[in-house]
Amino acid sequence: MAAGDLKSLVERWYEVLNRADWEDHIDQFDSGQDWWEEWKQEHREFRKAFPDYHFTIDRIIEEGDYVAHFGKAEGTFQAEFPHWELRGIAPTGEKLSWDEAWWWQVLDGKFGDGYFVVDGLRRLQQIGVVPMPEEANTE
């Protein structure tokens, strides 16, 4: 892909994910990877838990067929999410915010293999499951 195309792909990805009708448009990014259907099912559950999920891109880095992007996510915890650190935790109705970082290989203009990191500890701290660190004593 030409320089800047991967950045454009990521920007379009979040335009779709941030919309209420994300599922009607998400297949335009499907590169036929084995994980795709599982990801969509998990994201359906995630969107039930955080129906107002919104991601703001802070930075996009592209090199060759690879793109990484970093940013801030937020959403209101309104339903149980049976995965990751939130498994078994009752929804609180609180608006949460956390960092996310993603790395993808892009295949023919669509997302191939990828990895992501979500700041789950921050989510747990915000809902009181894990205590927030005490403020450092500056005296």
Side-chain angles (χ1 to χ4, degrees):
M1 295 182 76
D5 288 350
L6 299 181
K7 179 180 179 185
S8 177
L9 178 69
V10 168
E11 290 169 340
R12 286 193 328 267
W13 168 259
Y14 281 108
E15 286 173 12
V16 167
L17 282 184
N18 286 338
R19 295 193 327 225
D21 63 346
W22 70 272
E23 199 163 2
D24 294 338
H25 303 279
I26 203 69
D27 282 330
Q28 67 184 299
F29 302 98
D30 179 3
S31 61
Q33 299 294 299
D34 293 339
W35 54 264
W36 188 251
E37 288 303 318
E38 183 179 336
W39 181 89
K40 285 196 305 186
Q41 179 56 40
E42 192 171 287
H43 200 71
R44 283 182 198 107
E45 295 167 350
F46 182 80
R47 288 306 291 258
K48 287 178 187 172
F50 295 92
D52 59 344
Y53 169 84
H54 187 271
F55 185 85
T56 302
I57 299 168
D58 288 338
R59 186 176 329 127
I60 300 173
I61 302 168
E62 58 180 288
E63 183 176 316
D65 292 339
Y66 297 92
V67 63
H69 48 98
F70 311 86
K72 305 260 185 244
E74 64 181 17
T76 307
F77 188 21
Q78 295 186 350
E80 187 174 331
F81 182 58
H83 303 281
W84 313 327
E85 84 284 356
L86 295 173
R87 181 186 317 238
I89 297 174
T92 62
E94 293 178 62
K95 185 127 186 162
L96 308 180
S97 64
W98 61 92
D99 294 320
E100 293 184 7
W102 295 70
W103 172 91
W104 298 97
Q105 181 180 24
V106 177
L107 306 169
D108 297 321
K110 298 185 179 193
F111 290 118
D113 287 335
Y115 304 93
F116 68 98
V117 178
V118 172
D119 188 355
L121 177 59
R122 178 148 171 77
R123 290 194 292 213
L124 292 174
Q125 289 172 329
Q126 290 174 75
I127 59 176
V129 174
V130 173
M132 295 288 258
E134 292 188 34
E135 295 291 324
N137 186 348
T138 58
E139 293 179 33

